[in-house]
Amino acid sequence: DAGVTQSPTHLIKTRGQHVTLRCSPISGHKSVSWYQQVLGQGPQFIFQYYEKEERGRGNFPDRFSARQFPNYSSELNVNALLLGDSALYLCASSLGQGGIMSLHFGNGTRLTVT
Amino acid sequence: TQLLEQSPQFLSIQEGENLTVYCNSSSVFSSLQWYRQEPGEGPVLLVTVVTGGEVKKLKRLTFQFGDARKDSSLHITAAQPGDTGLYLCAGARGETSGSRLTFGEGTQLTVNP
């Protein structure tokens, strides 16, 4: 079975540009979460989507937005990129939205902002 | 504010040695998970602990959740080079937090043959 897939795997952008990252969850999983992992640190929660609705948002500016589609895939958008946005962006899927969830992570998108 | 403190940050040991990684917080978590992450890959879930004082064993790995559900430890017996990786603890606060996890900064373990 296919795991969580993310695209692209690597991306280089310039300050001020915008970026769209994509995630396909494991088949049957209805919840998608996004995390940012800066080099040398643990992942930080950005968003959770369940059944196409935002169910949680971390401490990130409004430049970060996301959405979930009817097929449960998801996009993360970041506008007006800053150098500090350079990080590994991880997508995780799970069956539901609450309780004790087993998160399945993709291999991430490595974003470099120059 | 880092809610979960992991120690040590870096650990380099020889094959066959034992080690313990700690995850501490001043906050109570409803559950705590341990992940392992290898370069170029996403974190992979190792275990979830829920009950205070709970101990879980996964082959050579032993996980413990503190009685007050504020801390956890991961003990590896007879470490092997294949154990090399970044070990992350992650806590969930509240029953509805689900996939909203707070991660520690990780412990980078290197096991030398």
Side-chain angles (χ1 to χ4, degrees), chain B residues 89-111:
Chain B
C89 65
R93 301 172 73 188
E95 291 188 358
T96 59
S97 59
S99 60
R100 182 172 187 155
L101 298 176
T102 299
F103 280 84
E105 292 189 343
T107 293
Q108 181 62 54
L109 171 65
T110 303
V111 182

Side-chain angles (χ1 to χ4, degrees), chain B residues 81-92:
Chain B
D83 294 329
T84 293
L86 179 68
Y87 288 82
L88 296 158
C89 65

